[in-house]
């Protein structure tokens, strides 16, 4: 009695950067939205510059932690030193940080006096919600889905952003 176990196909090298880009885009957009909403509710004097720095630091820390976790989880008998693979894996998480930059820019705009912090948070939440729709559509199209299915995937991704917006409204 022989049983063969079929392992899931590992992505080809060309597919992996695209998967990281899509993952980092969605994860970074959601994380930036949650942080902006939470930091917009802190007590005390409004300081959108401080909030922008913390959103950026949280994104960098999340990317580093995620990359390091991947490095540890995929440890194999490679000849490369562990530190080299860990650093390389952390650096490949740049899309997560890049997805947070619109939120950082909106908060720095408030810091520069272009608008208030509450408006910056509203802009960031709106932009990130629309961006989530785009990430979902793009991911589905890359996976070979038709436009209708891709829009449904985008709508589900967008629901993440809408849940954050709803939580932000309800917490006020």
């Amino acid at each position: 009695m022989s049983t063969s176990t079929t392992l899931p196909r590992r992505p080809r090298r060309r597919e992996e950067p695209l998967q990281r880009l899509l993952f980092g885009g969605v994860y970074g957009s959601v994380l930036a939205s949650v942080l902006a909403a939470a930091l917009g509710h802190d007590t005390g004097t409004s300081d959108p510059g401080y909030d922008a720095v913390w959103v950026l630091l949280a994104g960098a820390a999340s990317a580093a932690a995620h990359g390091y976790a991947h490095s540890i989880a995929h440890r194999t008998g490679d000849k490369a030193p562990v530190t080299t693979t860990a650093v390389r894996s952390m650096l490949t998480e740049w899309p997560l940080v890049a997805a947070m930059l619109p939120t950082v820019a909106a908060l720095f705009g408030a810091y520069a006096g272009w608008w208030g912090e509450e408006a910056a948070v509203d802009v960031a939440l709106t932009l990130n919600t629309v961006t989530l729709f785009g990430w979902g559509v793009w991911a589905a199209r890359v996976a070979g889905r038709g436009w209708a299915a891709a829009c449904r995937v985008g709508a589900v991704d967008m629901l993440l952003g809408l849940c954050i917006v709803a939580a932000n409204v309800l917490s006020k």
Side-chain angles (χ1 to χ4, degrees):
M1 177 172 173
S2 71
T3 57
S4 65
T5 307
T6 305
L7 296 174
R9 182 183 68 83
R10 185 179 169 115
R12 293 184 298 256
R13 284 186 72 75
R14 286 186 68 149
E15 293 173 344
E16 196 167 310
L18 182 59
Q19 288 176 348
R20 285 187 185 260
L21 176 68
L22 294 169
F23 169 82
V26 170
Y27 185 24
S29 297
V30 170
L31 182 60
S33 294
V34 169
L35 288 170
L39 290 170
H41 288 291
D42 60 352
T43 57
T45 307
S46 175
D47 188 356
Y50 176 83
D51 292 349
V53 168
W54 273 106
V55 169
L56 194 57
L57 287 174
S62 296
H66 190 260
Y68 183 72
H70 266 284
S71 176
I72 297 303
H74 296 285
R75 217 179 249 179
T76 61
D78 291 347
K79 301 283 184 205
V82 173
T83 54
T84 304
T85 58
V87 169
R88 189 178 308 125
S89 183
M90 285 186 259
L91 291 175
T92 61
E93 297 298 327
W94 68 266
L96 190 155
V97 177
M100 298 180 82
L101 293 179
T103 299
V104 171
L107 289 169
F108 273 134
Y111 180 73
W114 298 342
W115 49 71
E117 183 176 21
E118 190 170 322
V121 170
D122 291 345
V123 165
L125 292 177
T126 302
L127 184 60
N128 289 336
T129 300
V130 171
T131 302
L132 283 167
F133 177 79
W135 286 121
V137 169
W138 189 18
R141 293 294 294 160
V142 166
R145 307 271 189 224
W147 280 105
C151 286
R152 284 192 301 272
V153 171
V156 170
D157 280 7
M158 194 167 146
L159 280 175
L160 291 168
L162 292 174
C163 287
I164 296 167
V165 169
N168 188 43
V169 168
L170 293 173
S171 68
K172 289 184 179 179

